[in-house]
Amino acid sequence: MFHTKAYLRNQYECWGRVFRFEHGIEPVFWRDEAPKLESLPGPLLPYGMGRSYGDVCLNSGGVLLDTSYLNHFLTFDPQTGLLRCEAGVTLFEILDQFVPEGWFLPVTPGTKYVTVGGAIANDVHGKNHHVGGTFGCHVKRLELLRSSGERFLCSAEENAEMFRATIGGLGLTGLILWADIQLKKIEGPWIHMETEKFSNLDEFFGITEASDEAFELTAAWIDCATQTRGFQRGIVIRGNYGHEGAHKKSARAKGPRVAVPFDLPGFCMNRTVLRMFNAVYAGKQRKKRETGRVHYESFFYPLDILGNWNRLYGKKGFYQYQCMVTDDKKHSGCKALMKKVSDRRMDSFLAVLKKCGPIKSPGLLSFPREGIAVAMDFPNGGEKLLKFFKELDAIVQDYDGCVNLSKDARMPPESFKVFYPQWENFGKLKDPKFSSSFWRRVTGEAG
Amino acid sequence: MAAEIKRRKILVLGATSALGYEALKHFAKDGDQFFLVARNPKRLETVADDLKVRGAGKVETLQADFNDFDRHPKLIAQAVSALGGLTTVLIAHGLLPDQGACQKDYALTEEALRVNFLSEVSLLTIIANQFEEQKQGEIAVITSVAGDRGRASSYVYASAKAALDTFLSGLRNRLAKSNVQVLTIKPGLIETPMTANLERKPLIVKPTGVGRDIYKAILKKKEVLYTPWWWRIIMAVLVCIPEKIFKRTNL
């Protein structure tokens, strides 16, 4: 039944597409009739939308448990906003259903095309981290199916260790069947957005500090390409949920407007294109500060408008490097990173800064902690790029930071063990039959 | 023009089928009412709970085996009394038989024909008469693009669907003057539990878009729906190939 090749060519891949692996596919159609995991050969790994950039969602030579059919809502309490849904439900479906009813995701990453299971397994965070923490902070309870056939109800009270390991557990603790998510009350689909330009990092930190109290949602876009010319320009984007209601129709989620139909030739994402893109983006905003009311779609998910945008990077794919460095008065960690980027003349298409807050996630392996998160996309540049990443790793290590596993496609095992010293503890809670290409890569464990 | 149906009262036969469910999601959002019939009670409960969260006005369920033909009249009567009438019927149950096994054993072929053709005919006979009398209604039945031409790899299944297509086209003709819509839904290859065991899966897609197509086709009072749309072109080409050549192909 499985080991049929992936249905559509390239269907089961990771978002950055620097890896292409063969997998056996085992769809999970009903949560009460999950396949007998014990009798499946090889290592197993749940697969949702494949939006992880690297190999945390891949399982070369093993079996992917396709969860896209676990897409049912179970219950919803309109008084409290507590939603119970299966793990394959996407954030798109939750928004589409519940924004018109006045509820929003407690935390959302930059795309709505991820499953609830994936959001838990990668313990995603978003623009409200400084006040809302990670996605895992809002998961009240979940059911986990282990390869032994046992089912565990996990929460902060019951099977608490397993619960903590599953949040941010990269799908390695078993198959999440359903979860209870606490949604957030909103009054309408609108966000009051305010954008403010900055021209150096100190200015960025100044604006961010002032914004974090007044705004629930903050993040910043930074133009790496100008750094080599001695300045850093960027825009802080911040917002609050608006109070106006809307027609049912405008509150609904929107699908991609256009999609990239095929892989662009690799040379399309070159330095000139990048500079032009960044110049246009920065030039769009003339005034120092602009305010306006926008739909949540364009505020949270600007890239979702363009389907398959990862194809812009061509066949060779791309890397995202996302790291976290602790912050001090001089913001030296973040500055050291940015300096390295400009010294090495490595241009990133999209670079995003986010100041993360002190709210701790229950997750054992979770990425976000208090400090500055930096995310940068780079077209696959081979050895030279990998060497550059190692240099960044060293800086991250100096500033007690870590690199995000859900974005990673290259981290050396030594770095993993330094960034996540709790990994051995996690290993004990991992399901013995579950594994991923990522896990084998960083731990050296046999498949 | 007859009055538009505002809140539908939908009887769904084979409510746990992947395609049926995907279509129902959209109706649930409109606040419609459902009477769901399927064989597996746990799956039925999963679908019912889901539709309630999505906004369904009312969801009733009934566990039944469609091969029990004697039960059909009662089953429909139960739906009518539970919802206080019916506006819409969606028939989504079906089975993809093992072609090789059917070739060796007529009993299996007969069973496949019963599930994929005769049970629908039995149900439609009762429903058609009711809708004809109430001079209103929507009947949507999922058949398959496979019915457009028999192929060595699936002709038992395909012939049942072809028979059903013809039955529906006649029914449509008869009920047109009674203001009853008859929609023939012809899905291509869709990734569902039914097709999980197939060897070759050219152009397979996930069922989400198919559900939306079905919903829209019912709203727009269409007659025949190919979904995804490109199957209309593929099948149009396929039926043009002369038998002399077609018989030598390996499709």
Side-chain angles (χ1 to χ4, degrees):
Chain A
M1 178 182 297
F2 52 85
H3 285 300
T4 42
K5 278 205 180 160
Y7 299 134
L8 272 183
R9 211 164 60 87
N10 298 337
Q11 207 182 354
Y12 294 88
E13 55 186 19
C14 61
W15 190 245
R17 297 162 91 224
V18 291
F19 303 107
R20 305 284 155 98
F21 296 141
E22 287 281 316
H23 296 100
I25 306 298
E26 181 70 31
V28 186
F29 288 118
W30 300 95
R31 70 173 185 279
D32 296 314
E33 309 161 41
K36 295 234 175 319
L37 302 182
E38 212 157 354
S39 58
L40 293 174
L44 312 175
L45 184 70
Y47 186 92
M49 297 290 280
R51 279 292 179 134
S52 303
Y53 285 74
D55 48 359
V56 296
C57 66
L58 300 177
N59 191 11
S60 176
V63 174
L64 293 178
L65 304 168
D66 185 341
T67 60
S68 49
Y69 294 91
L70 295 179
N71 62 348
H72 302 98
F73 293 126
L74 276 71
T75 54
F76 178 68
D77 183 340
Q79 254 71 53
T80 62
L82 190 71
L83 169 70
R84 177 172 295 182
C85 66
E86 289 180 342
V89 169
T90 62
L91 301 191
F92 173 91
E93 287 212 56
I94 294 179
L95 293 167
D96 195 42
Q97 181 67 40
F98 295 105
V99 171
E101 298 178 28
W103 297 93
F104 204 77
L105 294 162
V107 164
T108 174
T111 171
K112 56 188 180 293
Y113 298 114
V114 299
T115 62
V116 165
I120 296 171
N122 293 290
D123 200 11
V124 296
H125 72 284
K127 290 187 166 84
N128 66 343
H129 185 273
H130 59 289
V131 290
T134 64
F135 194 85
C137 297
H138 307 271
V139 176
K140 299 297 167 204
R141 205 173 185 213
L142 55 85
E143 187 179 22
L144 193 67
L145 175 67
R146 303 274 285 186
S147 62
S148 57
E150 286 170 284
R151 286 162 187 252
F152 289 100
L153 285 174
C154 305
S155 69
E157 287 82 37
E158 44 194 335
N159 298 308
E161 269 204 312
M162 195 80 90
F163 182 65
R164 293 190 53 211
T166 301
I167 291 173
L170 307 173
L172 297 169
T173 59
L175 177 66
I176 303 173
L177 295 171
W178 56 260
D180 281 344
I181 317 284
Q182 179 59 55
L183 300 186
K184 177 194 159 59
K185 185 96 196 111
I186 53 165
E187 284 165 73
W190 312 105
I191 306 286
H192 287 277
M193 180 168 86
E194 202 174 300
T195 52
E196 189 164 344
K197 282 205 231 191
F198 61 87
S199 50
N200 61 55
L201 278 179
D202 283 320
E203 212 180 312
F204 158 75
F205 284 107
I207 298 171
T208 306
E209 215 138 289
S211 313
D212 275 2
E213 278 167 36
F215 293 92
E216 202 174 337
L217 309 158
T218 63
W221 166 81
I222 181 164
D223 181 358
C224 290
T226 57
Q227 291 194 62
T228 44
R229 283 172 273 153
F231 64 102
Q232 287 138 331
R233 85 180 146 192
I235 298 173
V236 173
I237 300 152
R238 51 203 185 177
N240 282 316
Y241 293 96
H243 299 295
E244 311 87 334
H247 291 298
K248 237 184 162 167
K249 206 167 172 193
S250 58
R252 291 192 58 175
K254 295 173 181 66
R257 235 159 288 160
V258 278
V260 183
F262 50 80
D263 292 353
L264 250 56
F267 60 80
C268 289
M269 290 298 249
N270 60 27
R271 177 168 291 217
T272 317
V273 173
L274 178 149
R275 290 217 165 133
M276 275 160 45
F277 171 84
N278 282 345
V280 168
Y281 194 91
K284 231 175 47 182
Q285 178 162 348
R286 295 245 167 254
K287 282 180 279 181
K288 167 87 177 146
R289 178 183 289 187
E290 279 179 10
T291 57
R293 194 186 76 170
V294 295
H295 194 265
Y296 76 83
E297 287 273 355
S298 53
F299 185 80
F300 285 108
Y301 314 112
L303 288 173
D304 281 349
I305 291 173
L306 184 63
N308 297 326
W309 62 260
N310 54 346
R311 288 178 175 171
L312 294 175
Y313 284 94
K315 267 206 180 101
K316 278 159 72 186
F318 71 108
Y319 288 90
Q320 179 170 103
Y321 188 87
Q322 184 176 35
C323 62
M324 185 99 228
V325 285
T326 49
D327 200 16
D328 53 31
K329 283 220 169 66
K330 287 183 176 155
H331 316 297
S332 30
C334 185
K335 283 179 180 166
L337 277 170
M338 285 302 156
K339 185 166 182 310
K340 181 60 82 185
V341 173
S342 66
D343 284 353
R344 290 283 175 272
R345 300 178 62 78
M346 298 302 279
D347 290 343
S348 162
F349 251 88
L350 267 179
V352 175
L353 299 178
K354 163 75 196 157
K355 189 168 181 211
C356 289
I359 302 172
K360 263 188 85 76
S361 164
L364 196 55
L365 272 193
S366 290
F367 161 71
R369 41 194 92 170
E370 192 169 6
I372 306 291
V374 183
M376 295 174 281
D377 289 1
F378 300 95
N380 187 353
E383 279 307 311
K384 189 180 154 209
L385 185 65
L386 296 179
K387 221 181 113 208
F388 166 67
F389 285 153
K390 277 196 182 168
E391 292 180 295
L392 293 181
D393 283 351
I395 299 173
V396 172
Q397 205 172 319
D398 287 346
Y399 290 92
D400 291 329
C402 58
V403 172
N404 192 348
L405 305 177
S406 4
K407 315 280 178 93
D408 181 66
R410 37 66 50 189
M411 189 187 298
E414 330 56 282
S415 308
F416 170 67
K417 287 165 190 174
V418 172
F419 293 149
Y420 297 89
Q422 65 276 38
W423 75 277
E424 276 179 301
N425 267 338
F426 174 79
K428 288 175 205 148
L429 293 158
K430 181 185 154 286
D431 188 299
K433 216 180 157 174
F434 279 57
S435 181
S436 63
S437 292
F438 167 81
W439 185 253
R440 295 190 287 277
R441 178 165 62 81
V442 297
T443 63
E445 216 167 78
Chain B
M1 280 295 286
E4 189 134 337
I5 298 166
K6 282 275 188 306
R7 287 270 181 280
R8 290 181 164 75
K9 298 177 179 195
I10 310 177
L11 165 63
V12 190
L13 303 153
T16 59
S17 92
L19 301 188
Y21 162 66
E22 287 295 334
L24 297 187
K25 279 176 164 177
H26 296 272
F27 289 107
K29 257 197 185 135
D30 294 344
D32 293 342
Q33 303 184 357
F34 300 90
F35 191 87
L36 309 177
V37 190
R39 214 172 27 193
N40 184 314
K42 276 209 158 160
R43 294 180 184 181
L44 202 48
E45 194 189 316
T46 297
V47 172
D49 288 346
D50 176 84
L51 296 179
K52 277 181 214 156
V53 174
R54 286 178 198 272
K58 185 178 193 179
V59 186
E60 299 277 336
T61 61
L62 176 72
Q63 190 234 334
D65 185 344
F66 298 111
N67 267 331
D68 189 356
F69 286 38
D70 294 341
R71 227 182 129 186
H72 288 175
K74 198 173 155 225
L75 186 158
I76 289 162
Q78 273 174 290
V80 170
S81 76
L83 299 183
L86 288 177
T87 64
T88 310
V89 175
L90 174 64
I91 300 187
H93 70 272
L95 162 113
L96 184 62
D98 180 339
Q99 173 68 27
C102 286
Q103 280 165 216
K104 292 191 191 88
D105 185 355
Y106 170 70
L108 291 175
T109 304
E110 190 182 309
E111 194 207 322
L113 293 176
R114 276 176 71 84
V115 176
N116 290 323
F117 178 54
L118 293 176
S119 72
E120 284 86 344
V121 169
S122 158
L123 291 160
L124 283 169
T125 302
I126 309 165
I127 294 159
N129 291 338
Q130 281 197 12
F131 281 12
E132 189 173 43
E133 199 172 310
Q134 72 189 35
K135 296 233 171 290
Q136 193 182 41
E138 298 157 331
I139 297 173
V141 184
I142 300 183
T143 71
S144 169
V145 294
D148 285 6
R149 189 143 204 191
R151 292 168 299 132
S153 57
S154 65
Y155 64 83
V156 170
Y157 176 73
S159 58
K161 294 297 192 181
L164 189 53
D165 280 349
T166 308
F167 183 88
L168 289 171
S169 129
L171 191 66
R172 182 180 306 119
N173 191 200
R174 170 187 150 201
L175 295 180
K177 51 182 158 304
S178 308
N179 183 38
V180 175
Q181 176 198 12
V182 177
L183 172 66
T184 307
I185 301 158
K186 296 170 82 80
L189 195 52
I190 317 294
E191 199 189 303
T192 64
M194 194 177 89
T195 58
N197 292 335
L198 284 183
E199 276 291 316
R200 285 188 311 169
K201 306 180 185 189
L203 293 173
I204 196 157
V205 295
K206 298 257 181 202
T208 323
V210 174
R212 192 191 48 231
D213 286 351
I214 294 174
Y215 170 72
K216 284 190 175 161
I218 292 176
L219 258 57
K220 286 186 183 160
K221 308 244 167 270
K222 276 201 174 185
E223 288 80 30
V224 180
L225 168 72
Y226 281 79
T227 169
W229 58 268
W230 56 77
W231 285 96
R232 183 183 280 273
I233 301 167
I234 295 172
M235 297 322 288
V237 173
L238 218 57
V239 295
C240 290
I241 304 173
E243 280 292 333
K244 227 178 188 50
I245 300 165
F246 195 80
K247 70 179 182 189
R248 289 178 220 285
T249 59
N250 180 24
L251 289 165

